[in-house]
């Protein structure tokens, strides 16, 4: 049986040609190509504003700052995500307040939100895990009842839909990652999309040291002095990243269809295997199909990972719960048993290859390997 990489990018020569054009241009940093990507990305999301930044983590961090989060505040989120979600909260000086997840999807349980709200709560950050949107209508209702902002971590969910709504339609803003393994990738990169022009304006300052007008905005104009309006960060997207992303915009839906085909083949092949569970995809949702995980018994999870690797199948774990990582246990005193659903999923998860470049033969190899391990 041949090997199957956990992930391979699909950057064609046509897409890569955009890099050469930028290298021959006047701007390598934030310039006209970044602006064009922001316009096209916002249009795809059916939102008026998108702001390109250096990473998904940077998007979350800056968006939280722009929403007024700071020292002493609390931000509600899920423990079942990559640590970047909680780290971004900590970067602001706020405290992450975790809420357990739904046992069948792994998404934050909206029914538990109200009991986690305190006078210090400022924002709710739902994570659209694996590419499936959370119950944003319910989350928005809770937020509005308590005067809270909602910031969607949509780093898995560029193409996601729920009852016709896209990321950023219900929340105050949505954050995206263009990391190397994401559905839309520039190696590193991120964006914040929002309906608020005021929020977008502040994000553009925050991504560039808090400067009143960035270099790209000043270029070609009569010289004028810039000012620094607030303490910002160095987190701006550059035109090289944007060129890679622009080249993929027309392929978003085509790539999603291929990932959906693969995911449906996996689901059909594993549905009858004893001891293997699959996260539910709700009928009202269109999943972005960023990750495909199976859930096995905790006692055999690590052995399952090892056996699949020995068969040449690339695997990962998405995710071990954040609150049980050493830093969060030490700093905040979390112990096992605090969020049982998130912990149960974290102990069972095995992530399989899922990307458009997988051939049918490779998908068959993954299926065959999983079925052998399950027997």
């Amino acid at each position: 049986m041949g090997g199957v990489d956990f992930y391979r990018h699909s950057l064609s020569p046509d897409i890569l040609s955009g890099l050469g054009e930028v290298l021959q241009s006047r701007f390598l940093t934030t310039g006209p190509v970044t602006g064009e990507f922001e316009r096209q990305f916002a249009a795809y999301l059916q939102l008026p504003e998108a702001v390109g930044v250096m990473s998904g983590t940077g998007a979350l961090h800056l968006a939280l700052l722009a929403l007024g989060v700071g020292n002493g505040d609390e931000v509600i989120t899920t423990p079942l995500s990559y640590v970047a979600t909680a780290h971004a909260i900590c970067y602001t000086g706020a405290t992450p307040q975790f809420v357990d997840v739904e046992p069948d999807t792994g998404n934050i349980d909206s029914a538990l939100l109200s009991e986690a709200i305190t006078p210090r709560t400022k924002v709710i950050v739902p994570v659209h895990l694996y590419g499936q949107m959370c119950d944003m209508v319910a989350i928005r209702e809770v937020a509005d009842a308590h005067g809270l902002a909602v910031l969607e971590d949509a780093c898995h969910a560029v193409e996601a839909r729920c009852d016709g709504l896209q990321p950023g339609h219900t929340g105050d803003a949505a954050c995206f990652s263009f990391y190397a393994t994401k559905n839309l990738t520039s190696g590193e990169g991120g964006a914040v999309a929002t309906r608020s022009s005021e929020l977008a304006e502040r994000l553009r300052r925050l991504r560039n040291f808090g400067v009143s007008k960035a270099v790209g905005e000043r270029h070609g104009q009569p010289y004028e002095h810039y000012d620094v309006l607030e303490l910002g960060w160095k987190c701006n997207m550059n035109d090289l990243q944007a060129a890679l992303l622009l080249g993929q915009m027309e392929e978003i839906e085509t790539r999603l269809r291929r990932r959906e085909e693969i995911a449906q083949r996996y689901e059909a092949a594993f549905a009858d295997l004893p001891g293997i569970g699959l996260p539910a995809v709700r009928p009202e949702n269109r999943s972005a199909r960023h990750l495909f995980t199976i859930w096995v018994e905790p006692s055999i999870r690590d052995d399952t990972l090892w056996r699949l690797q020995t068969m040449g199948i690339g695997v990962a774990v998405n995710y071990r719960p954040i609150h049980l990582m050493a830093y969060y246990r030490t700093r905040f005193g979390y112990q096992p048993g605090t969020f049982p659903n998130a912990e149960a999923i974290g102990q069972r998860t095995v992530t399989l290859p899922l990307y458009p470049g997988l051939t049918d033969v490779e998908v068959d190899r993954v299926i065959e390997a999983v079925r052998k391990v399950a027997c």
Side-chain angles (χ1 to χ4, degrees), residues 226-357:
Y226 64 85
D227 201 354
V228 176
L229 305 180
E230 60 183 314
L231 182 65
W233 297 72
K234 180 60 175 173
C235 197
N236 52 303
M237 176 178 284
N238 62 58
D239 275 13
L240 291 167
Q241 293 169 311
L244 287 175
L245 295 166
L246 268 174
Q248 298 167 70
M249 288 301 297
E250 292 184 1
E251 300 180 1
I252 289 178
E253 293 296 314
T254 302
R255 293 183 181 197
L256 174 61
R257 284 193 292 272
R258 177 56 181 163
R259 290 195 309 274
E260 183 64 42
E261 290 173 0
I262 296 167
Q264 289 189 17
R265 287 192 60 195
Y266 283 160
E267 288 171 343
F270 304 147
D272 64 342
L273 291 183
I276 288 186
L278 299 172
V281 176
R282 299 275 166 78
E284 66 271 19
N285 276 328
R286 180 178 88 161
S287 173
R289 295 293 194 182
H290 172 54
L291 295 170
F292 191 93
T293 68
I294 58 174
W295 295 341
V296 303
E297 290 302 312
S299 60
I300 64 168
R301 195 272 300 277
D302 289 356
D303 184 61
T304 299
L305 290 165
W306 178 81
R307 290 178 65 190
L308 288 172
Q309 285 181 311
T310 62
M311 294 178 180
I313 306 301
V315 291
V317 174
N318 304 96
Y319 295 98
R320 295 173 56 209
I322 298 171
H323 69 287
L324 296 184
M325 298 293 181
Y327 173 80
Y328 287 88
R329 292 181 65 167
T330 301
R331 180 173 175 182
F332 300 109
Y334 287 114
Q335 296 296 322
T338 312
F339 305 107
N341 292 337
E343 292 169 30
I345 293 171
Q347 292 166 353
R348 300 171 62 200
T349 293
V350 175
T351 311
L352 302 176
L354 178 64
Y355 47 92

Side-chain angles (χ1 to χ4, degrees), residues 23-39:
L23 289 170
Q24 298 300 316
S25 73
R26 292 178 177 179
F27 276 90
L28 299 184
T29 185
T30 309
V33 182
T34 300
E36 181 58 26
F37 167 71
E38 291 172 335
R39 285 187 287 274

